[in-house]
Amino acid sequence: MLVIKGLTKYFAKNTPHEVLAINNFNLRVKKGDFITIIGSNGAGKSTLLNLIAGALQPDQGEIRLDGKIITYQPEYQRARWIGRVFQNPLLGTAPYMSIEENLALSLKRERRGLRLGLNKYLREYFRSKLSELELGLEKDLAKKVGLLSGGQRQAMTMMMATMFKPKILLLDEHTAALDPESSKKILKITEELVEERKGDLITLMVTHNMKQALELGNRTVMMDRGCNIFDIQGEERKKIDINYLLKQFSKLRKQEYIEDRMVLG
Ligand SMILES: Nc1ncnc2c1ncn2[C@@H]1O[C@H](COP(=O)(O)OP(=O)(O)O)[C@@H](O)[C@H]1O
Ligand SMILES: [Mg+2]
């Protein structure tokens, strides 16, 4: 269980540029939950993920995982049980290293201190995992990752973010920079990797695509100005569509317009 209570984060506090990015944010997430997070540009979605990952520290509030307070635990410690994938496909992998070297590195997170030589068993394991991606990556494990397409790199990053069996998977618009076909493929891989860990993983996926937000996962949270303004799951969620979401958004925001970034597609 991930419990976020009263989380508050300012940027440039006590300056003329002060921004309240996360405003008394509350959320309880069960193991197995796959939450899609929507909200207009600047709503605080990335900041929330950064606070959970430990890349940022809050001004107030608390984050608990399985009862343990982790609010100020350093990022490198959380990296052992948090997998992350960002929007930019160039961020998650090392371009000058081969496919197999990148994969071996990600496993080291789990088995810290353990020497992981690239033996034939490990290569076989990588080949079988890569073949599940159906991108042909298993055919040349020695290929430098910098030579792969954005979609292929993002697929590898997804695999690396889940292979060490994290407790939490954080996805921040991880398909937004890809062409439509690669984006579709990465979403499929996302569903499959999450499914493999069924019931055992917490997934938070930020997307600005409302259709995606309702199709994937079991729960949707809408953020606005740093707050959790709408949270829907289960049967109730199955009944709603994009129009309903848009209406909720303008109602809860008490404003009529919707920003361009809330893509309907
Ligand atoms: N490093 C930073 N320094 C100053 N302001 C920031 C920083 N990161 C984010 N912000 C501000 O915090 C607010 C929330 O940003 P962000 O979490 O990136 O929103 P989202 O991901 O929902 O688009 C925005 O007003 C943004 O300008
Ligand atoms: Mg963002």
Side-chain angles (χ1 to χ4, degrees):
M1 178 88 99
L2 173 71
V3 182
I4 299 174
K5 248 196 237 164
L7 203 65
T8 298
K9 173 68 185 175
Y10 288 90
F11 288 108
K13 202 168 187 212
N14 302 322
T15 76
H17 305 293
E18 182 176 289
V19 176
L20 178 53
I22 299 293
N23 183 5
N24 194 17
F25 188 93
N26 299 297
L27 186 69
R28 292 173 73 86
V29 192
K30 291 192 305 291
K31 257 191 192 167
D33 265 351
F34 181 166
I35 302 186
T36 56
I37 302 177
I38 53 174
S40 51
N41 206 6
K45 305 179 296 295
S46 296
T47 304
L48 175 69
L49 263 49
N50 279 322
L51 289 164
I52 295 170
L56 291 172
Q57 300 205 327
D59 293 282
Q60 274 169 49
E62 186 182 274
I63 305 173
R64 267 178 202 258
L65 181 70
D66 299 335
K68 192 178 159 221
I69 295 175
I70 58 156
T71 321
Y72 298 103
Q73 190 184 44
E75 185 177 18
Y76 75 89
Q77 283 180 9
R78 296 189 217 187
R80 276 181 226 173
W81 42 263
I82 293 185
R84 293 197 78 171
V85 184
F86 299 91
Q87 182 171 339
N88 185 346
L90 304 183
L91 278 182
T93 44
Y96 299 110
M97 288 167 75
S98 66
I99 292 177
E100 61 186 11
E101 285 166 343
N102 269 278
L103 296 179
L105 254 189
S106 76
L107 275 185
K108 274 196 176 161
R109 257 151 85 155
E110 177 196 20
R111 302 172 209 178
R112 204 165 252 265
L114 203 127
R115 285 197 53 164
L116 267 181
L118 272 163
N119 56 40
K120 76 174 188 201
Y121 299 103
L122 201 55
R123 288 202 169 96
E124 219 22 73
Y125 174 64
F126 290 162
R127 269 191 209 103
S128 80
K129 293 297 278 180
L130 286 166
S131 65
E132 287 168 20
L133 302 179
E134 295 172 340
L135 291 168
L137 292 170
E138 68 281 5
K139 287 180 199 143
D140 186 3
L141 292 183
K143 193 168 183 171
K144 295 275 184 284
V145 164
L147 299 172
L148 304 178
S149 71
Q152 287 174 320
R153 279 184 81 162
Q154 204 65 332
M156 271 194 66
T157 308
M158 275 304 300
M159 199 179 129
M160 288 163 62
T162 48
M163 207 166 52
F164 65 100
K165 302 219 162 31
K167 293 181 180 180
I168 300 179
L169 176 61
L170 302 175
L171 309 170
D172 196 349
E173 303 201 28
H174 70 312
T175 66
L178 303 174
D179 60 87
E181 200 163 313
S182 303
S183 165
K184 227 169 119 187
K185 176 78 192 159
I186 296 299
L187 286 178
K188 186 168 162 263
I189 289 170
T190 306
E191 282 185 297
E192 286 166 0
L193 289 172
V194 170
E195 181 68 23
E196 252 176 56
R197 294 281 312 282
K198 207 175 173 97
D200 188 37
L201 176 71
I202 284 171
T203 307
L204 301 183
M205 181 182 106
V206 171
T207 175
H208 60 263
N209 184 318
M210 294 220 218
K211 189 162 167 274
Q212 258 177 36
L214 289 178
E215 279 172 7
L216 270 80
N218 65 313
R219 183 172 169 191
T220 296
V221 163
M222 192 186 280
M223 285 182 70
D224 185 47
R225 295 173 212 180
C227 300
N228 178 349
I229 59 166
F230 183 65
D231 186 343
I232 191 163
Q233 56 186 307
E235 291 305 311
E236 221 188 327
R237 180 177 181 262
K238 285 182 193 148
K239 285 184 226 150
I240 67 166
D241 58 9
I242 294 175
N243 268 329
Y244 180 88
L245 274 186
L246 285 168
K247 268 192 215 132
Q248 283 297 316
F249 183 72
S250 41
K251 196 169 100 192
L252 292 163
R253 197 172 205 231
K254 297 179 185 68
Q255 261 180 258
E256 290 306 311
Y257 76 92
I258 304 292
E259 285 178 45
D260 297 341
R261 269 182 64 85
M262 303 273 286
V263 177
L264 304 177

